[in-house]
Each structure stands twice: as C-alpha cells, then as structure tokens.
Amino acid sequence: MASPWRPIRVWSPLLGLGFVVALIAFALQLSSRRHLAQRLWTFEELALYNGTDERLPILLGILGSVFDVTKGKTHYGPGGGYHHFAGRDASRAFVSGNFTGDGLTDSLNGLSTMEVKSVVDWRKFYMERYIFTGHLVGRYYDSQGKPTKYLKGVESKAKRGAQLLEKQKIEEDKIPSCNSKWSQQEGGKVWCDSGYPRLVKRPGDIALTGKISQRCACFKEEELGRPGLEVYKNCDYLSQSCSV
Ligand code: HEM
Ligand SMILES: *[C@@H]1O[C@H](CO)[C@@H](O)[C@H](O)[C@H]1NC(C)=O
Ligand SMILES: *[C@@H]1O[C@H](CO)[C@@H](O)[C@H](O)[C@H]1NC(C)=O
C-alpha cells in the first residue's frame, strides 16, 4: 500500500521553489510600486489628488474609504467620464448619477434602502479593483479614524436591504417570472412556457425602494382566481402570450 503522505514529499521541493518565487515577486512589487501608505485624509488633502497633477496618484472617496484609482485614469482623470469622483467623496452621485454642484455630496440622507445598498456595493467594487488608501475624516470616520454612527447606520440599512432582497427572491422563485423579449418589428412580448402571464405587485419593493413595482409571473390555471393578479391589456384570460 502506498503511503498517503508520499505525494506531498514528492511535491515539497516544488512548493519550496514556489514559495521563494512568491517572496521575490512580493519584494519586487514592494520596491516597484510606490503605494501611498494607508492613512487618515482630510478633505483638503484629498482634493489635491483629483488627477490634474500628473505626478500625483488619483484618489477617490466613497463612504469615507479612500482608494487609489490611478489605474482607472481614463475614467477618473481629466476628461474622463467619472473625473468628478476624483479627489472627493461623492458617495451620493453613485446612485443619483448627478455629477454637478450639490449632487457631488457624501450625504445619503433620504435615499432608499436599495440605493444605500447600491452605494455600499460600489465600495465593495473599489475594494476589489483598486488600492485601499485609508479613511477620510468627516461624515463616515471621526478624527481617530473610527467609523461614525452615520456609517454604521448606512451599513445596517444596506444589510437590511440585502436581507429583504434575498427574502423577495425566495418568495418570487415560488412563482416563475414570464419570459420576455422586445423586437423592433413585434414590439414587446411576454409569455409563459407553462401557465398564464399576470402582472403582480411586488410588496417587498416598498421597503426597498419606497415605490411599488410590478413583475410578470406565470400562474397555473387553478391559481388565476388569486386576488391582485392583473390580466394584460388586450390579452385573453387564458392566453399564454401577450403583447406589451
Ligand atoms: C448613476 C449613473 C452612473 C454611475 C454612478 C456610473 C459610474 C461608473 C463608474 C464609477 C465607472 C468606472 C468603473 C471603474 O473604475 O472601472 C463606470 C464605468 C462605465 N460606465 Fe458608468 N455610471 C453610471 C451610468 C452609466 C450609463 C448610463 C452608462 C451607459 C449608457 C454607463 C456606461 C459605463 C461604461 C461603458 C463603463 C466602463 C468603461 C470602461 O471600462 O472603459 N454608465 N461607471
Ligand atoms: C485639483 O488638484 C490640484 C493639485 O493637484 C489643485 O491645485 C486643485 O485646486 C484641485 N482642484 C480642486 C477642485 O480641488
Ligand atoms: C443635481 O443636483 C443639484 C443640487 O441638488 C440640482 O440643482 C440639479 O438640478 C441636479 N441635476 C440633475 C440632473 O438632477
């Protein structure tokens, strides 16, 4: 019987080599890429890193976290479509899309649960794609670098949003959504492979977005008497396909 440990012994010289290679790569990276050290930033300091000075990295703040986005210069540098995000924390603009004047604020006051979740998702995007460079002192971090009540409120609202979304998904999976397509010639069309298309309200949306939206779902014939099901305009009660 072969010992189960044998393969490891065979591979261990290779593992050792891999380790040395990784160590050298790491050391090279340390010396070649001059990262900004993680630190606390003030508004005024952050504003200098807006991309206009070619010699400086480009920094972007979101929810008080600062990222080096220099590798995204085409987006964030002068002339880039997202240049307004550089050198500041314009958290709100990640959902408002308003890159002008007072739209460029870090305040999320009055945004819906879904919108707040979306900003938190953007922060995750930057965490994964860019280099974290510390925190901005202000609305989200205090002068000690500690998360503020405001940030904790934002994060718990986003978390609640994620839970509500998950719950909604589980609910909606019980009744399949309609197929849909749109074409220039035929316009919009919804259809069910099995069952009948009906418009239904998504009650969960009130908590998430403050509004009620609808979706098209496929109901079996015996379910068609349920309250709240809306037949598509100009579509037969038992038609499996409707123009919209
Ligand atoms: C609320 C509105 C919007 C916000 C906040 C926003 C934000 C952003 C940001 C921050 C990036 C850069 C991501 C990175 O660092 O790689 C980006 C990329 C991009 N955005 Fe938007 N965007 C918005 C709306 C739109 C719209 C309406 C379109 C198209 C009609 C669009 C098309 C794109 C494309 C194509 C890229 C990728 C560009 C590339 O990688 O070369 N965005 N967006
Ligand atoms: C952008 O950064 C430059 C220096 O890098 C600075 O002189 C300028 O005032 C900054 N612009 C804004 C709007 O803060
Ligand atoms: C952006 O926000 C500013 C200030 O709140 C407002 O005056 C302006 O109308 C907004 N622009 C758009 C396109 O929503």
Side-chain angles (χ1 to χ4, degrees), residues 98 100 102-103:
N98 186 341
T100 60
D102 293 345

Side-chain angles (χ1 to χ4, degrees), residues 92 96-105:
R92 191 186 194 86
S96 71
N98 186 341
F99 305 144
T100 60
D102 293 345
L104 294 168
T105 173

Side-chain angles (χ1 to χ4, degrees), residues 18-73:
F19 181 74
V20 171
V21 168
L23 203 69
I24 291 171
F26 179 69
L28 279 177
Q29 198 187 23
L30 271 190
S31 62
S32 69
R33 215 198 300 170
R34 288 186 305 115
H35 286 181
L36 290 168
Q38 286 177 23
R39 48 164 288 196
L40 283 179
W41 298 88
T42 65
F43 291 114
E44 292 78 13
E45 289 163 340
L46 186 59
L48 298 178
Y49 295 81
N50 60 30
T52 57
D53 186 337
E54 293 253 323
R55 294 162 300 179
L56 296 176
I58 307 177
L59 300 185
L60 169 155
I62 177 167
L63 299 175
S65 287
V66 178
F67 297 92
D68 182 335
V69 295
T70 310
K71 78 170 183 195
K73 196 180 287 177

Side-chain angles (χ1 to χ4, degrees), residues 3-232:
S3 154
W5 301 110
R6 186 94 185 280
I8 290 187
R9 221 182 297 142
V10 170
W11 284 102
S12 66
L14 271 182
L15 284 178
L17 186 67
F19 181 74
V20 171
V21 168
L23 203 69
I24 291 171
F26 179 69
L28 279 177
Q29 198 187 23
L30 271 190
S31 62
S32 69
R33 215 198 300 170
R34 288 186 305 115
H35 286 181
L36 290 168
Q38 286 177 23
R39 48 164 288 196
L40 283 179
W41 298 88
T42 65
F43 291 114
E44 292 78 13
E45 289 163 340
L46 186 59
L48 298 178
Y49 295 81
N50 60 30
T52 57
D53 186 337
E54 293 253 323
R55 294 162 300 179
L56 296 176
I58 307 177
L59 300 185
L60 169 155
I62 177 167
L63 299 175
S65 287
V66 178
F67 297 92
D68 182 335
V69 295
T70 310
K71 78 170 183 195
K73 196 180 287 177
T74 51
H75 304 310
Y76 304 106
Y82 301 107
H83 181 49
H84 283 117
F85 283 126
R88 56 157 63 95
D89 184 330
S91 289
R92 191 186 194 86
F94 282 94
V95 288
S96 71
N98 186 341
F99 305 144
T100 60
D102 293 345
L104 294 168
T105 173
D106 61 355
S107 164
L108 303 188
N109 292 352
L111 293 184
S112 71
T113 302
M114 213 44 226
E115 289 171 319
V116 169
K117 179 184 177 297
S118 168
V119 180
V120 172
D121 289 345
W122 271 107
R123 181 181 64 181
K124 185 161 172 280
F125 167 85
Y126 286 100
M127 276 292 181
E128 287 165 357
R129 292 264 201 314
Y130 293 102
I131 305 157
F132 175 71
T133 318
H135 289 134
L136 173 66
V137 176
R139 189 185 295 274
Y140 296 100
Y141 291 89
D142 67 17
S143 56
Q144 311 302 307
K146 294 248 187 318
T148 60
K149 271 205 181 111
Y150 195 90
L151 178 56
K152 288 176 185 166
V154 161
E155 283 171 341
S156 58
K157 191 164 177 174
K159 200 166 166 188
R160 206 159 56 244
Q163 288 164 349
L164 283 168
L165 216 56
E166 183 63 23
K167 226 174 98 186
Q168 173 157 313
K169 194 183 167 303
I170 290 169
E171 263 331 288
E172 293 191 351
D173 282 351
K174 293 178 186 165
I175 303 164
S177 291
C178 309
N179 304 303
S180 69
K181 73 168 183 186
W182 195 90
S183 71
Q184 192 86 50
Q185 300 96 319
E186 298 180 63
K189 184 180 115 161
V190 294
W191 76 97
C192 294
D193 296 324
S194 112
Y196 304 92
R198 291 292 184 271
L199 272 169
V200 283
K201 291 193 166 61
R202 305 170 113 156
D205 265 22
I206 301 171
L208 283 164
T209 64
K211 298 187 200 101
I212 301 179
S213 70
Q214 290 181 305
R215 69 166 181 138
C216 178
C218 298
F219 291 86
K220 301 190 195 92
E221 190 164 358
E222 63 269 26
E223 296 170 330
L224 294 179
R226 286 192 195 181
L229 307 193
E230 190 184 325
V231 184
Y232 274 88

